[in-house]
Amino acid sequence: MKAGWREQVLTVIAEIPPGRVTTYGRIAAMAEGATPRLVARALRELPTGHDQPWFRIITASRKLADHPGAAEQRQHLAAEGVLLDARGRAPVERMWP
DNA sequence: CAGTTGACCCGCG
DNA sequence: TCGCGGGCCAACT
């Protein structure tokens, strides 16, 4: 199937189960033509008030990326049971394969 | 030490 | 104008 990488990124995001997180790199690997930077850019350009679980995407070091909605992201994750440790990292067992 | 990654930014086609 | 490849670079594995 041939779809734009943006579309694939959105699809992959929608597949992430609640209470799980994944990284830019993994999203990029699953969406042909995407790179971690492009994934990040795509997320930034998402309109506010969309229904995608963008908050389930974190950096390769399992921390939240530095962006204006980071605080909100942390709350969304906490609400799903993904609590960050003292270093701000999400537990490995919460990673979506 | 060496490789990866990034919620950027600019510049090219 | 728009989309995105790619450069720079700091931070982390």
Side-chain angles (χ1 to χ4, degrees):
Chain A
M1 89 187 227
K2 203 160 144 165
W5 65 265
R6 286 176 176 274
E7 193 180 337
Q8 293 187 51
V9 165
L10 259 17
T11 301
V12 173
I13 290 173
E15 296 291 317
I16 307 172
R20 292 291 170 92
V21 293
T22 195
T23 66
Y24 293 93
R26 289 202 202 232
I27 298 288
M30 295 184 67
E32 202 176 356
T35 63
R37 303 237 192 190
L38 288 177
V39 173
R41 183 188 298 175
L43 290 184
R44 199 208 8 148
E45 292 177 356
L46 283 173
T48 40
H50 58 76
D51 48 0
Q52 305 318 2
W54 55 271
F55 49 84
R56 302 209 259 242
I57 304 184
I58 59 181
T59 69
S61 34
R62 297 195 294 284
K63 292 186 234 150
L64 301 188
D66 179 37
H67 70 101
E72 188 184 331
Q73 179 175 16
R74 184 157 18 143
Q75 298 198 83
H76 278 298
L77 292 177
E80 295 195 332
V82 181
L83 300 177
L84 306 180
D85 65 19
R87 290 205 196 66
R89 286 144 96 282
V92 182
E93 60 268 27
R94 293 294 189 178
M95 296 294 291
W96 187 56

